[in-house]
Amino acid sequence: SYIKYRIVTERWDVNTTRQPSRWEFMKGVFFEQFDQQFHTEGYIQADTAWYYDQIKLWKLRGRVRIRNINGLVFTSEELYWDGLNHEFYSNVFSRVVTPERTLQGTYFRSDEHMSHYIVTNSKGSFTAESMEKDNNSDNSTPKDTAQQTQAPRRPQAVKHAKTTVTP
């Protein structure tokens, strides 16, 4: 399978003289993701972005927002999108809202589909009904993970003890 994106921006600069070389989106960027039939699966937007092409790393800043097909909405002031490891991460306050719950914390890490994610140093709200379903679940659905620990500085260097909440 493959993923298709449409990139919308007012200004897109390619800077090969600076090391590392980068693409700069100083007036904002909007990505729309499509499936193979060109149906919209989600979007990513930010006020400013840089793409470091040699290491396939996006740095998104200022009113970063992601929405996926499952109704998940992520917001933060900074997010990294690692194209080599196929994950998102942030070391600043972030908020994840799904149809079932709201989580917020100072460290976030997720796969590129936003289906398996970790929020640490977190706060959250859950309905009593969703907690009952969690206790009776068969663990066959995607999982949210919330932890009450200090936020690490480098996500690759930390192993997380997970508390799992199943929608």
Side-chain angles (χ1 to χ4, degrees), residues 23-61:
W23 302 350
E24 298 175 342
F25 302 84
M26 303 311 285
K27 295 193 173 199
V29 67
F30 178 86
F31 303 91
E32 193 170 15
Q33 181 184 354
F34 302 99
D35 64 14
Q36 291 182 353
Q37 289 75 39
F38 295 100
H39 298 116
T40 300
E41 290 202 335
Y43 68 81
I44 301 169
Q45 68 185 67
D47 289 342
T48 310
W50 297 265
Y51 176 67
Y52 301 93
D53 55 342
Q54 293 172 345
I55 57 174
K56 297 189 183 323
L57 180 69
W58 285 91
K59 180 179 181 181
L60 306 165
R61 293 207 37 129

Side-chain angles (χ1 to χ4, degrees), residues 5-134:
Y5 290 94
R6 176 173 64 160
I7 299 175
V8 179
T9 184
E10 187 176 324
R11 183 173 176 174
W12 182 343
D13 295 321
V14 177
N15 191 331
T16 57
T17 57
R18 294 187 69 182
Q19 291 301 319
S21 62
R22 67 195 73 170
W23 302 350
E24 298 175 342
F25 302 84
M26 303 311 285
K27 295 193 173 199
V29 67
F30 178 86
F31 303 91
E32 193 170 15
Q33 181 184 354
F34 302 99
D35 64 14
Q36 291 182 353
Q37 289 75 39
F38 295 100
H39 298 116
T40 300
E41 290 202 335
Y43 68 81
I44 301 169
Q45 68 185 67
D47 289 342
T48 310
W50 297 265
Y51 176 67
Y52 301 93
D53 55 342
Q54 293 172 345
I55 57 174
K56 297 189 183 323
L57 180 69
W58 285 91
K59 180 179 181 181
L60 306 165
R61 293 207 37 129
R63 293 186 298 180
V64 178
R65 182 177 173 97
I66 296 177
R67 183 176 183 106
N68 71 11
I69 196 167
N70 299 322
L72 177 140
V73 176
F74 168 88
T75 54
S76 185
E77 287 297 312
E78 181 175 82
L79 180 69
Y80 292 90
W81 181 4
D82 185 335
L84 293 177
N85 294 315
H86 304 286
E87 66 182 3
F88 293 108
Y89 60 89
S90 179
N91 293 313
V92 301
F93 179 81
S94 302
R95 182 178 174 108
V96 177
V97 178
T98 70
E100 298 82 28
R101 61 186 55 101
T102 299
L103 295 170
Q104 52 193 23
T106 57
Y107 173 77
F108 173 81
R109 188 172 183 179
S110 174
D111 64 347
E112 281 183 327
H113 303 289
M114 298 294 255
S115 58
H116 295 88
Y117 50 87
I118 297 168
V119 177
T120 62
N121 196 14
S122 60
K123 298 176 182 178
S125 63
F126 310 92
T127 65
E129 183 179 288
S130 73
M131 291 304 287
E132 265 182 37
K133 280 194 264 181
D134 292 344

